[in-house]
Amino acid sequence: MKRNTILIADDEAEIADLVELHLEKEGYRCIKAASGQEAVQAVQSQTIDLAILDIMMPGLDGYEVTRRIREHSAMPIIFLSAKTSDLDKITGLVIGADDYMTKPFNPMELVARVGAQLRRATQFNQQAGGSSSVLEIGGLVIDTGRHTVTKYGSPIELTPKEFDILYLLACHPKQVFSGEHLFERVWGETYLESGNTVMVHIRTLRKKLGDDKDKWIKTVWGVGYTFNG
């Protein structure tokens, strides 16, 4: 059975060692990086299944590492940071992270979130590889095999979560999804703050689509979101 490889990027050795200890107990293989540059080099030189990134690291910070990873990979990314403001969390999710945990943290909760993200990624890859499809709706082309979206022929750069939300909504036009339902379907877990997380992703997705008049994604106030195609 293949062991998933986890990148732990944190300049605090004690935290990196603690995370490594708990992940290895669950059978994961771990690679540690003490700076953003080391993290980028690790991703470029070997196969990584999931990355756990601190934000405040020497050289490249976690945000920049995420941007560079997202240029060529849809691997799950979890931020583990001492930055606790809502703005920090929103920034991390918008630039492409899949989850965000604050320090101090419960190591077992982190392990659980790692498992949930890996399961979701595996399920998506199996679906995409087994039944690749292309949806064309009102000028939008969503290609699950290539994981790309174009609008009237022009490519739109989406994070993996934004792509998953758009694809789920587009596959069920006119069906209304609550924020909680979207979170459970896309993130693959139940989360108390799901409503705010989904709202941030929907807002950014609309901005990237140029959907200022709700042409594609419509808010049903008090209920959720639906695809207007």
Side-chain angles (χ1 to χ4, degrees):
M1 181 178 178
K2 175 182 177 292
R3 294 176 67 194
N4 289 115
T5 299
I6 312 298
L7 170 64
I8 306 166
D10 199 311
D11 60 327
E12 296 184 69
E14 297 84 358
I15 290 180
D17 290 344
L18 177 64
V19 173
E20 179 185 38
L21 174 65
H22 284 272
L23 287 174
E24 288 190 339
K25 282 183 178 179
E26 297 300 316
Y28 296 110
R29 173 176 174 260
C30 296
I31 297 171
K32 292 185 290 186
S35 69
Q37 190 59 48
E38 286 184 21
V40 171
Q41 291 172 349
V43 172
Q44 292 175 341
S45 63
Q46 51 197 303
T47 300
I48 306 291
D49 297 298
L50 180 146
I52 300 172
L53 306 179
D54 186 17
I55 293 177
M56 297 179 288
M57 292 187 289
L60 304 177
D61 64 16
Y63 295 146
E64 182 59 28
V65 173
T66 298
R67 291 188 186 96
R68 298 196 183 190
I69 290 175
R70 286 291 174 250
E71 290 175 357
H72 57 81
S73 174
M75 76 170 69
I77 296 174
I78 299 175
F79 274 130
L80 181 62
S81 174
K83 297 170 77 69
T84 61
S85 75
D86 288 341
L87 179 59
D88 293 319
K89 296 177 183 178
I90 290 170
T91 300
L93 294 170
V94 166
I95 67 172
D98 299 283
D99 202 350
Y100 194 113
M101 287 188 67
T102 57
K103 302 174 183 176
F105 64 100
N106 183 325
M108 294 311 299
E109 180 183 356
L110 176 59
V111 171
R113 294 195 184 200
V114 166
Q117 290 297 333
L118 288 171
R119 286 193 298 274
R120 189 208 64 82
T122 298
Q123 291 168 359
F124 180 85
N125 290 335
Q126 289 174 344
Q127 291 168 0
S131 56
S132 177
S133 63
V134 176
L135 293 178
E136 298 185 36
I137 318 103
L140 282 181
V141 178
I142 306 171
D143 189 326
T144 62
R146 298 179 179 179
H147 216 263
T148 59
V149 176
T150 60
K151 185 178 76 170
Y152 302 118
S154 298
I156 299 175
E157 298 297 329
L158 301 181
T159 68
K161 286 294 187 292
E162 291 164 357
F163 182 94
D164 292 353
I165 290 171
L166 179 61
Y167 181 65
L168 176 60
L169 291 174
C171 283
H172 303 85
K174 307 302 182 183
Q175 179 177 337
V176 180
F177 288 84
S178 67
E180 290 76 11
H181 191 187
L182 277 174
F183 190 91
E184 290 175 359
R185 289 288 297 272
V186 173
W187 275 261
E189 57 181 305
T190 301
Y191 188 44
L192 294 178
E193 299 177 4
S194 60
N196 187 56
T197 301
V198 171
M199 181 179 66
V200 170
H201 280 76
I202 292 286
R203 183 189 308 146
T204 308
L205 179 56
R206 280 178 171 151
K207 183 177 180 180
K208 291 182 178 181
L209 292 174
D211 195 13
D212 55 338
K213 298 185 184 300
D214 294 354
K215 177 179 179 180
W216 287 292
I217 300 175
K218 179 181 179 182
T219 298
V220 181
W221 294 108
V223 182
Y225 307 94
T226 185
F227 193 80
N228 222 14

